[in-house]
């Protein structure tokens, strides 16, 4: 459930300081330490799931809650009108660097696709 050496498990346990902006059932939203947009939040499950590829059927409610949580945070930050991005990097080649599932919520500037 929790990995003692995992940064995001440690943030969830409040063993590492982070700017936790919101919390809901089994999920935290924290400000990214190296923001790539005016709004850059990380949606982090409190359960240790290493990557998106590790989710199972049992995680279906958690995944739904994560999307609703992200949408609520986007609405509260007035991102809905101009659009926002909700991203999961799965695996090193996709840019994953912290091995604990998380969504990036990005908004507040124009974005191109594909990202660099
Ligand atoms: P990934 O590359 O795994 O998709 O995303 C990891 C994200 O975690 C990066 O955007 C990085 O800036 C962020 N990050 C890394 N270390 C910390 C930290 O100690 N605190 C916070 N709040 N974010 C972090
Ligand atoms: Zn973890």
């Amino acid at each position: 459930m929790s990995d003692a050496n995992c940064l995001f498990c440690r943030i969830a346990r409040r063993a590492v300081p982070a700017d936790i902006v919101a919390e809901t059932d089994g999920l935290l939203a924290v400000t990214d330490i190296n923001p790539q947009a005016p709004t850059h939040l990380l949606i982090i499950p409190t359960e240790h799931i290493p990557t998106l590829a590790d989710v199972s059927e049992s995680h279906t409610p958690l995944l739904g809650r994560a999307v609703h949580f992200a949408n609520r945070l986007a609405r509260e930050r007035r991102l809905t009108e101009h659009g926002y991005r909700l991203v999961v990097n799965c695996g090193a080649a996709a840019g994953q660097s912290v091995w604990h599932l998380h969504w990036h919520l990005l908004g507040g500037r124009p974005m191109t696709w594909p990202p660099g």
Side-chain angles (χ1 to χ4, degrees), residues 32-73:
D32 196 290
I33 207 167
N34 181 24
Q36 303 301 309
T39 294
H40 187 171
L41 300 178
L42 302 173
I43 314 292
I44 302 175
T46 53
E47 178 183 344
H48 181 77
I49 304 166
T51 81
L52 187 67
D54 297 305
V55 303
S56 62
E57 285 281 336
S58 66
H59 294 118
T60 301
L62 176 71
L63 301 181
R65 285 201 302 279
V67 172
H68 290 298
F69 189 36
N71 283 343
R72 172 163 72 80
L73 292 161

Side-chain angles (χ1 to χ4, degrees), residues 64-115:
R65 285 201 302 279
V67 172
H68 290 298
F69 189 36
N71 283 343
R72 172 163 72 80
L73 292 161
R75 276 195 308 274
E76 288 171 356
R77 285 159 180 73
R78 306 269 186 271
L79 300 179
T80 309
E81 183 188 348
H82 293 292
Y84 53 97
R85 191 171 280 173
L86 188 60
V87 178
V88 178
N89 298 323
C90 181
Q96 185 172 2
S97 61
V98 177
W99 298 90
H100 178 130
L101 175 64
H102 52 281
W103 288 258
H104 297 259
L105 173 62
L106 297 146
R109 66 165 170 83
M111 293 178 200
T112 56
W113 187 265

